[in-house]
């Protein structure tokens, strides 16, 4: 790694890049929470249509999905820090257009959908680039993968905890559209942090000095990596289905619960804060003791908490203190999932191919999310909120019990050295360049924002 950090002790200079990436994760999540609350609230409050709310929520995921599929080789070829900064600035610019066009009375549903799609498309390279910067920062700081990923996850959860009630307050005072300025400012600050405090990461080059492989060839190589690893394939399958259900909850059913049951944007923000508080505790617990726990049991337990338990309590419509307490317990499972998935990803995919492989992993896991959002909107309009919540919870429980049934999931408990793959073929690198931190949990994190 190159770059210097004038002033301060040698120890503080070693920690600076990691601290900057952790801070960027928290700030980005704070702004994202504003968008998560404001955009669905605006559409549902303005139109009263669950289907239209699902359509707009789907647009951002589709943008993220497209960028995850197409941007992996591009991110591998470009300077990673510059890519991170540029993507953050593009995200901020796209978000800023929403309140500007609304002020000019030019924000109709197609325009809003297109802008939200652009925001999702820019967030993909932004998140991937920061994940590619993480291993060098982690190595420079001398911390383990569990600790580093736990810190990033914890910061993200703190951002969600602070951002959700802030968004609820801003919606009540300034309106949902102007609330998006918080996300715009957050992404601009992330760009500044990375540009100023994270050193340039040198790019790996082919050993034989040959030029990089073709764009299509690198995509095909990433797909081949996923096909060869049966455990990663199984994880993608579960994540694909659970992300679809999370999209239904967070993109449609949560806003509906806030408007129909709680009838308060502030209490809606408090729901997200409760989940965030539990998730912060879950991330801290896994960072502290995760290396000593059986991963398969933890994986199933975490998903049961974040899925079936959450849906059941929402469908019961309890008093607000009970609701928030159970959501906090459910959030513990959400906080465990991210660091667990990232730890598995570090072990099973070689460092030199992580960029393209995990971009495709995120894309595969996100593929069904738009269907979940659209389906939730249709069910909400046809059958009501309680039926939609119960159906989502039942499907979630059925999917997350799969690791207890199929033998391939025993591989979760087979720990290996970081950066190794349980597959000899995984180490064969075609002409081209790829490296960086895994984004296996990114699919879960980017759509399960509660």
């Amino acid at each position: 790694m190159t770059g210097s950090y004038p002033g301060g002790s040698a120890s503080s200079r070693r920690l600076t890049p990691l601290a900057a990436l952790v801070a960027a994760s928290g700030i980005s999540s704070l702004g994202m929470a504003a968008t998560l609350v404001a955009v669905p609230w605006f559409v549902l409050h303005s139109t009263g249509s669950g289907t239209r709310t699902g359509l707009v929520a789907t647009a951002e995921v589709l943008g993220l999905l497209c960028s995850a599929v197409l941007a992996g080789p591009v991110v591998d070829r470009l300077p990673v820090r510059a890519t991170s900064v540029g993507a953050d600035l593009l995200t901020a610019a796209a978000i800023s257009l929403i309140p500007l066009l609304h002020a000019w009375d030019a924000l109709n549903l197609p325009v809003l959908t297109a802008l939200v799609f652009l925001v999702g498309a820019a967030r993909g390279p932004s998140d991937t680039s920061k994940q590619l910067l993480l291993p060098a920062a982690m190595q420079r700081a001398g911390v383990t993968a569990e600790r580093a990923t736990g810190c990033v996850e914890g910061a993200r959860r703190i951002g969600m905890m602070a951002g959700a009630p802030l968004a609820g307050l801003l919606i009540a005072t300034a309106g949902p559209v102007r609330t998006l300025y918080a996300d715009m400012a957050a992404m601009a600050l992330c760009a500044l942090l990375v540009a100023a405090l994270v050193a340039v990461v040198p790019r790996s080059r082919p050993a034989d000095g040959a030029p990089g492989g073709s764009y299509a060839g690198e995509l095909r190589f990433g797909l081949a990596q996923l096909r060869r690893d049966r455990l990663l394939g199984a994880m993608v399958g579960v994540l694909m289905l659970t992300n679809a259900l999370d999209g239904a909850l967070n993109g449609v059913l949560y806003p509906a619960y806030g408007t129909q049951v709680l009838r308060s944007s502030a209490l809606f923000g408090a729901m997200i804060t409760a989940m965030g508080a539990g998730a912060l505790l879950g991330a801290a617990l896994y960072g502290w003791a995760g290396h000593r726990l059986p991963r398969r049991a933890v994986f199933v337990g975490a998903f049961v908490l974040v899925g079936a338990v959450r849906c059941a309590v929402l469908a019961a419509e309890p008093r607000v203190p009970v609701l928030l307490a159970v959501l906090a317990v459910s959030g513990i499972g959400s906080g465990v999932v991210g660091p667990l998935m990232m730890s598995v990803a570090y072990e099973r995919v070689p460092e030199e191919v992580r960029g393209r492989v995990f971009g495709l992993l995120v894309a595969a896991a996100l593929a069904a999310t738009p269907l979940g959002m659209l389906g939730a909107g249709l069910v909400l309009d046809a059958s009501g909120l309680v039926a939609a919540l119960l159906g989502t919870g039942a499907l979630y429980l059925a999917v997350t019990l799969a690791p207890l049934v199929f033998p391939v999931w025993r591989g979760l408990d087979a720990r290996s050295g970081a950066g190794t793959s349980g597959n000899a073929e995984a180490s064969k690198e075609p002409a081209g360049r790829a490296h960086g931190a895994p984004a296996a949990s990114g699919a879960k994190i980017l759509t399960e924002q509660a």
Side-chain angles (χ1 to χ4, degrees):
M1 176 188 285
T2 61
S4 61
Y5 306 94
S9 66
S11 176
S12 66
R13 291 196 300 270
R14 286 195 300 269
L15 291 172
T16 296
L18 179 60
L21 291 173
V22 170
S25 176
I27 294 169
S28 175
S29 294
L30 186 148
M32 192 181 296
T35 299
L36 171 71
V37 175
V39 171
W41 188 277
F42 170 70
V43 177
L44 195 59
H45 185 73
S46 300
T47 68
S49 170
T51 301
R52 291 185 179 184
T53 304
L55 176 64
V56 174
T58 298
E60 182 171 2
V61 179
L62 285 175
L64 179 61
L65 176 60
C66 291
S67 67
V69 172
L70 300 176
V74 175
V75 172
D76 277 338
R77 292 166 184 257
L78 296 177
V80 64
R81 186 177 67 173
T83 303
S84 175
V85 173
D88 285 342
L89 293 177
L90 177 60
T91 305
I95 293 169
S96 69
L97 288 175
I98 298 177
L100 287 176
L101 291 176
H102 183 261
W104 297 337
D105 199 23
L107 188 67
N108 54 37
L109 185 64
V111 171
L112 176 60
T113 302
L115 288 175
V116 171
F117 177 90
L118 180 58
V119 170
R123 285 198 198 275
S126 169
D127 293 334
T128 299
S129 298
K130 291 178 182 60
Q131 289 159 349
L132 295 177
L133 289 167
L134 184 59
M138 186 172 63
Q139 183 178 9
R140 183 185 184 98
V143 301
T144 64
E146 286 82 4
R147 296 287 170 85
T149 56
C151 286
V152 171
E153 175 72 0
R156 193 183 73 82
R157 295 298 180 172
I158 291 174
M160 294 300 298
M161 288 169 57
L166 175 62
L169 178 62
L170 289 175
I171 288 172
T173 56
V177 176
R178 291 179 181 176
T179 299
L180 296 177
Y181 282 126
D183 197 2
M184 180 195 71
M187 297 310 296
L189 182 55
C190 288
L192 179 62
L193 279 173
V194 173
L197 300 178
V198 179
V200 174
V201 175
R203 310 310 302 259
S204 301
R205 296 185 181 275
D208 59 2
S214 70
Y215 178 85
E218 292 184 357
L219 283 178
R220 287 194 299 269
F221 178 77
L223 288 171
Q225 292 288 99
L226 290 179
R227 285 197 303 266
R228 277 194 289 262
D229 193 311
R230 294 181 62 233
L231 178 59
L232 283 181
M235 288 167 57
V236 167
V238 166
L239 285 174
M240 183 181 297
L241 294 171
T242 56
N243 281 340
L245 298 172
D246 282 329
L249 281 167
N250 302 323
V252 179
L253 301 183
Y254 258 35
Y257 197 91
T259 57
Q260 296 178 19
V261 179
L262 300 178
R263 294 182 173 86
S264 166
S265 62
L267 290 178
F268 176 39
M271 288 171 56
I272 300 176
T273 300
M275 283 286 294
L280 177 61
L281 177 59
L285 289 174
Y286 189 80
W288 171 58
H291 61 285
R292 296 191 293 266
L293 299 174
R295 283 179 177 166
R296 185 164 59 146
V298 171
F299 185 85
V300 172
F303 271 115
V304 168
L305 280 177
V306 80
V309 170
R310 178 166 47 144
C311 291
V313 70
L314 288 169
E317 299 183 6
R319 296 173 60 186
V320 171
V322 175
L323 172 67
L324 297 181
V326 178
L327 287 179
V329 173
S330 178
I332 294 175
S334 180
V336 166
V337 167
L340 189 157
M341 296 291 288
M342 291 190 78
S343 298
V344 173
Y346 272 118
E347 294 176 1
R348 300 193 69 86
V349 178
E351 180 181 357
E352 64 272 14
V353 298
R354 286 174 185 162
R356 73 197 75 165
V357 171
F358 285 100
L360 289 170
L361 184 61
V362 170
L366 284 173
T369 303
L371 295 178
M373 292 179 171
L374 291 173
L378 294 172
V379 174
L380 178 63
D381 288 344
S383 302
L385 180 60
V386 172
L389 287 169
L390 291 176
T392 300
L395 289 173
Y396 218 126
L397 182 62
V399 171
T400 54
L401 292 180
L404 300 180
V405 177
F406 299 103
V408 65
W409 289 95
R410 295 171 186 166
L412 279 178
D413 291 325
R415 287 175 166 83
S416 59
T420 63
S421 172
N423 200 307
E425 291 296 322
S427 63
K428 294 182 180 178
E429 165 73 355
R433 295 167 292 186
H435 49 75
S441 64
K444 186 70 181 171
I445 288 169
L446 291 170
T447 57
E448 191 269 296
Q449 297 294 344

